[in-house]
Amino acid sequence: MSVQPQMPDPSQFDLSEVEWKVSSYSGGGGDCVKVGRLGDWILIGDTKCPDRLPLVNTVVGTRAWIRAVSDGTLGPIGGAS
């Protein structure tokens, strides 16, 4: 059984150090997801709400999430279909 690391509070990060990548699917409108890396953490933010703190995940957790979304095994969230 693996132990999940405790996710840090993103307000503790210096987000000015993050080199953000923005999805090309925004069509240039800027309404899209942005992803950055800070040390061992992957940060996921929203370009529409730049003042909102990003979600924080591990590299392994982010890879697993992307894989589950890509192959359809993520399933409904909160019991929704």
Side-chain angles (χ1 to χ4, degrees), residues 67-78:
R67 195 170 29 256
V69 169
S70 296
D71 66 19
T73 60
L74 184 63
I77 297 174

Side-chain angles (χ1 to χ4, degrees), residues 2-3 7 9 13 19 24 26 31 35 47 57 61 64 68 71 75 79:
S2 65
V3 176
M7 298 303 166
D9 178 352
F13 292 146
E19 184 177 328
S24 61
S26 67
D31 295 340
V35 178
T47 59
N57 203 349
D71 66 19

Side-chain angles (χ1 to χ4, degrees), residues 53-54 57 61-62 75:
L53 290 173
N57 203 349
T62 302

